[in-house]
Amino acid sequence: MAKKSKTYWKRALEGYLFISPWIVGFAIFTAGAIGASFVISLTNWSMIGNPRFIGVENYKRIVNDKFFWQSLKVTSIYLLNVPLNLIIGLLLAILLNQKIKGLSIYRSIYYLPSVTAGVAVSLLWLWIFNPRFGIINLLLSYIGIKGPAWLSDEHWALPALIIMSTWGVGGSMLTYLGALQGIPTQLYEAAILDGAGIWDRFKYITIPMITPVILLNLIMGIINSFQTFTQAFVMTNGGPNYATLFYVLYLYQQAFRWFNMGYAAALAWILFLIILVCTIVIFKTSARWVYYERS
Amino acid sequence: MKRTVSLGLVISLVFSLLIWGTNNAASVKITFSRHGTETDLETENKLVKIFKSKHPDIDVEVLVLPWNDYNTKIPVMVAGGSAPDVISAHPALLFQIYAAKGLYSINSMVKTDTTINYDDIVFPGDAKFSGQIVGLPQKSCTHILRYNEDLFKKAGLTTPSDLYYKGKEKAWNWDSLIEAAKKLTVDENGDGQPEQYGVSLDDNCIKFSTIRSAGGDVLDKALTKCVLNSPGGKKAFQFFVDLVRKYKVAPPPELQVGQLGIQFKTGKIAIEAATSCDSVRDLRKGYELPFSWKFVVPPAGPAGFRVWGDTDQMIISITSKNKKAAYEWMKFRSSKEAWVELYKEGMTLAFTDGPTRFSIFDIPAFKEPLKAVDVNMIKEAYKYVIPNPFLPRTPYADRIFFTIVPTELDNAMRGTKSVEQAINDAVKLINDVLAGKA
C-alpha cells in the first residue's frame, strides 16, 4: 500500500474542518437521538414514567398490526406518484428549455407551487377536490361526468393525493432543467448530421445524459413519499376508512396521540430500514442505467 | 459629616439587604400550565394578579400552550421531572399522569380544608381515582346542541327548548328532532341538493353520548371488551345513518358542507353539535351571530337523556417542591371567588371556562355574559352527565372513541358499510386494540 503524502493528509484535514460544523451538529443533536430511539423501540413507554424494557415485543406486535399493514399498503400505492412526477417534471423541463418569450416568468410560475407551504397547499386542494363545487368536478360536469367525492370516497382519496402531488413537481423540474442545459450541444449537432430525428435525439442523447438527475429525483421522490404526512394530516386525517392512513401519520398517531412512544420508535426504525433497502437497491441497479460522462 | 453620611449609607444598605433577604426567603414561586390561547394567558395573568393580592408570598408563573403542543410538552416535562407545580389536565392527560404516578394526591388537603364545599363541585367523579381526590376543576364543559331560533320561528315550529321544558324526554327526543329537522331541511334551488340542513351532529362526543342514550355502550364495565354490538349500540348507529340516508336531514359526510358555506354560523344548519364552554364565544361583543340561537340538551334516546361532560382538572405534580402553595393557587383558580373577582375587573371566565361549582350557575359573572342564551339549559345538561367520569378510563380511550368508532360510523353514514358490518368491524378492531394487537 502506497504511503499517503503529507499533502494528502493536509487536504483531508482541511476537508474535515470544513464539514466539522455539520459533524459536530450531527453528533450532538442527531446521532444520540437516533441511538436513543432504538433503545426506546425496545421499551413500553408512554412518555410519562419510566420506560419498561420489553425486548423485541414491539417489533413482534407490528407484524400482527393490521393498521401497520394498511399504512404500508397506502404508502406503497402512493409511491406511484414518483414515476408520475418524474415524467411530468421532465416534460415541463423540456418545455421550459425552449427559447420562447417570457421564459423566466413561466419558469417562476411552474416552480412557485413547490415552495408553497404544505398546509396552505393542502387547504387549497381541499377546495379543488370539493365534490359539489370543486373545480375538478365542475370541469368533469362540462363533459357529462359526475365526479367522485374524492377525499371523502375511500376509493378516490388516495388517487386524489397522488394527483395533488404533481403540484410539487417544480423542484424536480428545476434539476432537470439544469441537467438539460448541461448537455453539450455538439452531441445534438453530430446526431443531426447523422440524420437522427427528434425522438432519437431524445432517446439516445437527452435521456442518457440526464440519468444522474433522474436517479437523484427517483431516490428523493421515494424517500419523500415514504415520509408523506402533511396532506393526510390536514386533509383527511387518514380517512375515509383508513384509505389515506400513511405510514408516518400512523407513526405520529401512535407517538403523539396515543403516547405509545416505544411502539412508535419501532415503527420509525422499520421505516428507516425500508427506505434504506429501497435506496440501496436503486443504487445497486443504477449502474445498469445511469450514465456518467466519466464512466 | 463625611463619616456620618458613610455610616448612614452603610446602615441603610444593611437594612435593605435584610429586608430583601427576609422577603425573598418567604416568597415561593410556583408554575401553572394549561392549554389555551393568548387570550387565555391574559386571563390567567389577571387571575394571578388577583391571587397575588391575597397571597403576596406566592408568585405564580403561567405557561399557556396550544392544544397539540400541550399534549406533547407536558408528558415530556412530567417524564423529565420538570413538570409545572400545577398542571391543568383534560381527562385523557389526567389518566395518563395518574397511571404514571406523576401526580400528588390532594385528598387529605381537601378533606381537612373547611373553606371548600366539595358538594358544590361539578363532576366530582372526574377528580377521583380509587376514591382519592387528586384534583380541583379548572373548567367544565358539556357537549350539547344549539339551534337557530330564527329558523324555528320562521318555520313555525316549537323550539327544542320549549319541547324539553314542556315534556322532557316525551317531547324532546329522537323522533321530535327528526320531525323538526325534516321541516328545516330546504332545497332552495330545486337541484335535489339541500342548501339548508336540519341538523348536523358532527361531534365524536355527541356520537358517544347518543350510544349511551340508546341504552348501549362501547366498552363493558371492566373495560376489557367491546359491547357496541348490543341493541343500544345498533339503534344509535341506525339513528345517525337514518338522519343522513333515510331522512336526508343531515349532511352526508362526503359532502364536506362546511366548505360550501353550509354551517350553523351562516344560518344554513338549524341544529348543530356544540359545547357549553366554547360555543359561548359567539356571544362575545363583536363576535355575535346574525341570528338568535339557544342551547338545548341532545334529544332523549330510548334510555333517556345522556350528555358528555367533563372537566379539566388542576393537579399537583409529584415533583413539586411547593405543594402547599400549589394547592392554594389551584383552590383559588377553581373557586367561585375567582369568577366573581375577575368579572369585577372587566374580564369573564364564562366565555372560556364552564363552571367549576354548581353555585357559579347562579352568579352574574356567569349569567350576565350568557344572558342571550338559556343559561338554565346549560345547567340542565350537567344533570345528564351519567356516569361520571363520562369517558371510560382506559389508555385506549382516544383511539377507541375518537378514531375507531367515528370511522366506522362514518362508513355507515357514507353508505359504504351496513350498520351491522360497521359495528362488527368496530367491535373487532376495538377488541384487537384492547388485547394489545394493534
Side-chain angles (χ1 to χ4, degrees), chain A residues 46-49 61 64-67 126-127 130-133 152 154 240-242 250 254 256-259, chain B residues 71-72 75-76 78-79 96-97 100 193-194 254-256 259-260 398-399 403 411 414 428-429 432 436 438:
Chain A
S46 67
M47 285 173 79
I48 298 179
R61 214 176 108 199
N64 297 314
D65 180 355
K66 55 188 72 165
F67 292 103
L126 270 175
W127 284 86
N130 186 284
R132 205 193 277 190
F133 78 153
S152 306
E154 63 187 84
N241 201 25
Y242 313 106
Y250 183 51
Q254 284 286 357
F256 299 109
R257 269 190 68 187
W258 308 324
F259 301 108
Chain B
N71 287 318
T72 49
V76 170
V78 172
Q96 200 189 355
I97 298 174
Q193 304 247 38
E254 65 269 20
L255 262 192
Q256 298 162 29
Q259 286 177 30
L260 300 170
D398 185 89
R399 199 162 178 193
T403 303
N411 287 335
R414 283 187 295 114
K428 199 166 179 308
L429 287 172
D432 276 355

Side-chain angles (χ1 to χ4, degrees), chain B residues 6 25 87 118 195 224 253 355 369:
Chain B
S6 301
I87 305 164
Y118 204 74
E195 278 72 38
T224 53

Side-chain angles (χ1 to χ4, degrees), chain A residues 24 28 30 104 180 239 258 271 282-283:
Chain A
V24 171
I28 295 171
T30 311
S104 56
L180 288 172
W258 308 324
L271 178 64
I282 293 167
F283 264 118

Side-chain angles (χ1 to χ4, degrees), chain A residues 37-99:
Chain A
S37 79
F38 181 70
V39 176
I40 291 169
S41 78
L42 304 174
T43 67
N44 182 0
W45 188 42
S46 67
M47 285 173 79
I48 298 179
N50 296 324
R52 188 165 55 87
F53 184 77
I54 54 168
V56 293
E57 210 50 49
N58 282 328
Y59 292 92
K60 279 189 196 166
R61 214 176 108 199
I62 285 172
V63 178
N64 297 314
D65 180 355
K66 55 188 72 165
F67 292 103
F68 161 77
W69 292 109
Q70 172 65 15
S71 66
L72 200 58
K73 183 179 138 194
V74 167
T75 311
S76 303
I77 295 171
Y78 185 72
L79 284 175
L80 285 173
N81 86 88
V82 179
L84 184 71
N85 283 327
L86 285 178
I87 293 166
I88 295 174
L90 180 57
L91 290 177
L92 270 178
I94 291 167
L95 283 174
L96 296 173
N97 198 30
Q98 311 303 312
K99 284 174 185 147

Side-chain angles (χ1 to χ4, degrees), chain B residues 96-391:
Chain B
Q96 200 189 355
I97 298 174
Y98 172 78
K101 299 183 175 70
L103 58 81
Y104 175 76
S105 169
I106 58 165
N107 196 59
S108 57
M109 285 173 160
V110 175
K111 297 277 178 195
T112 54
D113 190 340
T114 52
T115 61
I116 284 192
N117 173 13
Y118 204 74
D119 292 337
D120 193 29
I121 283 181
V122 298
F123 308 148
D126 282 10
K128 284 182 185 162
F129 284 82
S130 309
Q132 297 281 304
I133 300 165
V134 300
L136 291 173
Q138 176 231 310
K139 63 179 274 192
S140 67
C141 202
T142 54
H143 289 253
I144 51 178
L145 305 183
R146 62 174 170 173
Y147 62 91
N148 183 323
E149 203 175 20
D150 292 357
L151 287 181
F152 272 81
K153 277 185 189 159
K154 199 175 147 194
L157 295 168
T158 311
T159 65
S161 305
D162 286 343
L163 289 173
Y164 173 80
Y165 286 125
K166 274 177 199 161
K168 295 279 163 67
E169 63 266 35
K170 281 181 191 150
W172 178 234
N173 50 41
W174 289 4
D175 291 337
S176 50
L177 171 86
I178 291 167
E179 284 314 307
K182 276 183 194 171
K183 285 167 188 149
L184 292 161
T185 300
V186 184
D187 177 6
E188 288 165 356
N189 57 12
D191 67 349
Q193 304 247 38
E195 278 72 38
Q196 179 184 302
Y197 282 94
V199 62
S200 169
L201 302 181
D202 190 15
D203 178 303
N204 293 334
C205 302
I206 297 249
K207 284 167 188 166
F208 180 43
S209 62
T210 305
I211 291 168
R212 281 188 168 161
S213 78
D217 214 323
V218 176
L219 300 176
D220 65 350
K221 279 190 178 159
L223 308 179
T224 53
K225 198 179 143 201
C226 179
V227 292
L228 191 58
N229 50 358
S230 63
K234 285 177 189 171
K235 273 183 204 163
F237 262 52
Q238 193 63 57
F239 168 68
F240 280 105
V241 172
D242 286 350
L243 287 177
V244 174
R245 298 284 152 198
K246 188 176 172 186
Y247 303 113
K248 300 184 193 308
V249 294
E254 65 269 20
L255 262 192
Q256 298 162 29
V257 288
Q259 286 177 30
L260 300 170
I262 300 177
Q263 298 168 358
F264 183 80
K265 289 187 179 189
T266 57
K268 295 295 180 186
I269 286 186
I271 308 168
E272 78 155 1
T275 66
S276 57
C277 58
D278 292 320
S279 305
V280 286
R281 291 178 192 224
D282 292 335
L283 298 171
R284 288 174 300 167
K285 206 171 178 189
Y287 295 89
E288 300 98 332
L289 300 183
F291 51 83
S292 166
W293 63 273
K294 296 272 191 304
F295 282 121
V296 67
V297 297
F305 293 109
R306 288 290 183 282
V307 171
W308 173 305
D310 60 36
T311 48
D312 279 11
Q313 291 284 331
M314 286 178 290
I315 52 171
I316 299 178
S317 163
I318 193 80
T319 53
S320 170
K321 290 187 175 74
N322 300 300
K323 294 187 176 73
K324 274 188 183 167
Y327 177 74
E328 285 304 324
W329 159 251
M330 60 195 249
K331 193 170 86 172
F332 168 76
R333 180 61 184 81
S334 175
S335 67
K336 185 162 75 176
E337 185 192 356
W339 280 70
V340 173
E341 299 214 10
L342 190 72
Y343 194 57
K344 273 187 209 159
E345 297 277 338
M347 293 177 87
T348 171
L349 281 173
F351 291 139
T352 53
D353 293 17
T356 52
R357 305 283 191 274
F358 284 112
S359 54
I360 289 175
F361 282 109
D362 303 321
I363 60 172
F366 182 72
K367 280 161 66 176
E368 276 177 10
L370 310 186
K371 64 182 174 216
V373 294
D374 179 8
V375 173
N376 187 56
M377 186 61 84
I378 301 176
K379 197 175 176 182
E380 285 291 298
Y382 278 64
K383 281 187 199 169
Y384 303 117
V385 180
I386 307 165
N388 174 228
F390 197 78
L391 178 68

